[in-house]
Amino acid sequence: MWDFLQPSMIIALVLRLAVLYGMWLMGSKALRFAEVYAERAVGAQDLRLFRFIRLGWLVAIIYMAVVVGIYTLRMEHLAAFYQQGNEVVAWFTQVIGRIVAVILLSYIALKVVNQLAERIVPGNEFSRRTVRVRTLTGVLRSTATVIIVILAFVMVLDNLGIRSSALLASVSVLGLAVSFGAQALIKDIFTGFFILLEDQYGVDDSIIVNNNPNLSGGVEKLNLRVTHLRALDGTVHIIPNGQIQTVSVQSKEWSRFVANVSVGYDADLDRAIEVIKKVAGELYEEAEWKDHFLEAPEVQGITALNMDSVNIRALFKVLPKSQWALGREFNRRIKRAMDEAQIMIPASRKTVNWGGEPLVVEFKQAPASEAPADLKKRPETGQDTDKNS
């Protein structure tokens, strides 16, 4: 009965049925996803329509499997089904094969993009460079994925006989409308992209935004849209990247503590400079603080003659964000050293000289005729206000 069967016919039948099975699986998953979305997001209660669609999809796949089997097994006596099977197989050959090829190539392209993206980031080590590169890699990966998926979708539509030009025109018009409504968001994203690309600042940096002291602190989080800034008192400022005009970075590559020590005009300036050099040198040589320095301290000498003090400047080039702790320690030590050397760090004082004669202050009562009108009588009460005079 089955003598007409040949191995090539059996192999062709299995492959075609496998393709039909794959189509049924993909269609079922898509319908299931639409059903779950309608139930959770839209809140649809009556889901019988999806059941009818799934049943219709199953019937269509079974019918195509039957006619494909009749055509593959050369049952020419079933002329109507045989012809339909021929049309379905021809459609598979011309359309499904191309669609499968497009999907396969798109899948390979996505795999290649993911593999390249994973090679860019050096492991799971947390550092400023890793955070920056990982963010940029995520953006490039997402962009490449969107481009590949859109191209694959357009090619699948073309192979199905659907003209994609009208669809693309509609999408472009919609994208133009969205771009006008989301200009601020697009500006934030572009600004954030260049902040990361140029490494203007990063996570753990200390910055001042737009020269505003109230917008200063450590960068806690940074992405393409916003910058999270943690202030000294714990307040978190969330700043859209598009609103950032200028950034003052206090912790990039290296930092410097500028020490301005004021002494009085009657102080021994050479002695004061020697004391500052001694304190700076001791601080530089101590093991606890030596690792903070990038180079030896520099005492520049007298830099300003103020009204009541003389400024002596010392510079400390240190690691990023070490300037504050080292500055506090230097201030503590220099105050103690100046006291031991009996060098006065002057407080603000002003002397007023009234001349050689003693200053006499007299309080006299003005005559009634010269008293201001508002002290003689209040219009609202009509009573004399100068009774006690």
Side-chain angles (χ1 to χ4, degrees), residues 73-326:
L73 297 178
R74 300 290 190 271
M75 297 181 182
E76 299 180 0
H77 56 283
L78 301 173
F81 295 108
Y82 184 84
Q83 182 61 30
Q84 291 179 359
N86 183 21
E87 294 176 357
V88 172
V89 171
W91 185 67
F92 279 168
T93 305
Q94 297 177 2
V95 178
I96 300 299
R98 294 177 183 176
I99 292 176
V100 171
V102 169
I103 294 175
L104 182 61
L105 291 175
S106 301
Y107 177 78
I108 294 174
L110 291 175
K111 282 291 186 181
V112 171
V113 169
N114 290 331
Q115 290 293 330
L116 292 177
E118 291 176 358
R119 290 178 179 273
I120 294 176
V121 180
N124 296 322
E125 178 187 358
F126 179 81
S127 64
R128 172 172 170 168
R129 177 182 179 276
T130 302
V131 172
R132 180 169 65 92
V133 174
R134 184 177 289 116
T135 304
L136 288 174
T137 302
V139 174
L140 296 177
R141 179 190 295 178
S142 302
T143 304
T145 301
V146 170
I147 293 174
I148 292 172
V149 170
I150 291 176
L151 290 177
F153 180 70
V154 171
M155 295 176 70
V156 168
L157 291 180
D158 289 337
N159 282 284
L160 290 175
I162 301 173
R163 297 185 62 181
S164 58
S165 57
L167 179 62
L168 291 177
S170 302
V171 171
S172 62
V173 172
L174 178 62
L176 183 62
V178 171
S179 65
F180 278 112
Q183 292 183 14
L185 178 62
I186 295 173
K187 182 180 179 181
D188 294 341
I189 292 175
F190 271 96
T191 305
F193 178 79
F194 282 106
I195 288 173
L196 290 167
L197 182 65
E198 298 172 358
D199 193 22
Q200 297 176 11
Y201 60 88
V203 176
D204 290 338
D205 269 336
S206 295
I207 65 173
I208 301 174
V209 177
N210 296 338
N211 295 322
N212 187 351
N214 295 324
L215 295 179
S216 63
V219 179
E220 194 170 70
K221 183 180 178 182
L222 171 64
N223 55 38
L224 289 179
R225 194 177 67 85
V226 295
T227 296
H228 292 243
L229 195 63
R230 176 78 67 173
L232 184 63
D233 61 355
T235 304
V236 177
H237 302 288
I238 302 175
I239 308 170
N241 292 329
Q243 297 183 11
I244 298 176
Q245 302 298 324
T246 59
V247 177
S248 303
V249 185
Q250 300 174 304
S251 57
K252 191 168 186 178
E253 297 180 2
W254 56 272
S255 298
R256 174 175 283 153
F257 169 63
V258 180
N260 287 308
V261 182
S262 299
V263 298
Y265 273 95
D266 55 350
D268 185 347
L269 298 182
D270 293 332
R271 173 63 176 159
I273 292 175
E274 289 299 325
V275 171
I276 295 174
K277 288 183 178 179
K278 179 182 176 182
V279 173
E282 291 175 352
L283 197 61
Y284 178 69
E285 294 297 334
E286 279 193 15
E288 181 181 356
W289 295 100
K290 190 174 182 61
D291 292 339
H292 294 265
F293 284 88
L294 295 177
E295 59 184 39
E298 176 187 358
V299 179
Q300 294 185 322
I302 299 173
T303 57
L305 300 176
N306 299 323
M307 181 180 297
D308 52 7
S309 65
V310 177
N311 278 3
I312 304 174
R313 178 185 295 168
L315 300 180
F316 300 82
K317 188 174 181 179
V318 295
L319 294 173
K321 298 198 297 185
S322 295
Q323 67 268 35
W324 297 297
L326 188 136

Side-chain angles (χ1 to χ4, degrees), residues 6-67:
Q6 299 177 4
S8 59
M9 296 170 59
I10 297 175
I11 294 174
L13 179 62
V14 170
L15 292 176
R16 290 165 182 172
L17 292 179
V19 172
L20 287 172
Y21 179 70
M23 289 178 57
W24 175 76
L25 282 179
M26 288 189 293
S28 299
K29 289 184 178 296
L31 290 172
R32 180 59 182 167
F33 175 79
E35 182 179 357
V36 172
Y37 178 80
E39 183 178 3
R40 294 182 179 178
V42 183
Q45 301 296 330
D46 190 1
L47 301 175
R48 288 179 294 178
L49 176 62
F50 290 98
R51 299 189 184 95
F52 290 141
I53 294 175
R54 286 204 304 271
L55 180 61
W57 176 245
L58 178 61
V59 171
I61 292 295
I62 292 175
Y63 180 78
M64 284 192 291
V66 170
V67 296

